[in-house]
Amino acid sequence: MPAPTSPADLFRHSLRLLLDKDIPAWVALWAEDGVMEFPFAPDGWPRRLEGKEAVAAYMRHYPDHIDLHGFPELRILQTTDPQTVVVEMRGVGRLVQSDAPFDMTYIAVVTVRDGHFTSYRDYWNPLAVQEPGADFTGSSR
């Protein structure tokens, strides 16, 4: 089944892939030159990933550290650019290493071109990575 092409539908599809822990399929939704940014990333964490390969490397071990169970609060807001949406969401699950609850609120600004993510600015709470087992990026922390 081909991925949806509208930004809102593609984003919803991407969340389903994360819940299914299908990281290769999630990465396949990215444009080759797509950019993922983390404006609030703490020291030692990446702030900018350039290209699909960098996004793939960043996400490769995500399911080994964070077991997502759902996105109970999801709002996708259209912007004046039909290819860009603002997403407000909450992700819940558990940290695999400690079995502690995982509960994160996100705001993302996402742009899609030709059915692929080209820009994804992820505004997440850096205090959450202070929990043992939350660091899936191989950062220097």
Side-chain angles (χ1 to χ4, degrees), residues 8-132:
D9 290 343
L10 186 70
F11 195 85
R12 283 186 192 91
H13 178 66
S14 77
L15 294 181
R16 180 77 253 154
L17 293 172
L18 289 177
L19 291 174
D20 291 345
K21 296 162 187 41
D22 191 346
I23 300 305
W26 186 86
V27 169
L29 301 178
W30 281 80
E32 289 299 324
D33 61 349
V35 175
M36 189 170 204
E37 297 177 277
F38 307 96
F40 297 150
D43 289 342
W45 282 66
R47 293 188 187 275
R48 182 178 173 92
L49 304 171
E50 295 188 30
K52 183 188 261 187
E53 290 303 316
V55 172
Y58 176 81
M59 291 295 292
R60 183 168 290 120
H61 298 291
Y62 189 92
D64 298 332
H65 297 275
I66 299 173
D67 177 20
L68 285 171
H69 297 167
F71 296 95
E73 298 168 21
L74 174 65
R75 290 184 61 209
I76 300 176
L77 308 164
Q78 187 59 57
T79 68
T80 56
D81 175 352
Q83 299 304 311
T84 300
V85 292
V86 174
V87 179
E88 297 176 77
M89 65 181 183
R90 185 171 150 237
V92 298
R94 70 180 180 89
L95 297 175
V96 173
Q97 178 183 335
S98 64
D99 205 36
F102 176 80
D103 193 335
M104 176 78 77
T105 301
Y106 303 85
I107 294 177
V109 180
V110 180
T111 301
V112 171
R113 299 264 187 263
D114 300 322
H116 291 93
F117 295 127
T118 58
S119 175
Y120 190 125
R121 286 190 314 277
D122 191 352
Y123 296 88
W124 57 278
N125 179 359
L127 298 176
V129 298
Q130 295 177 354
E131 289 291 324

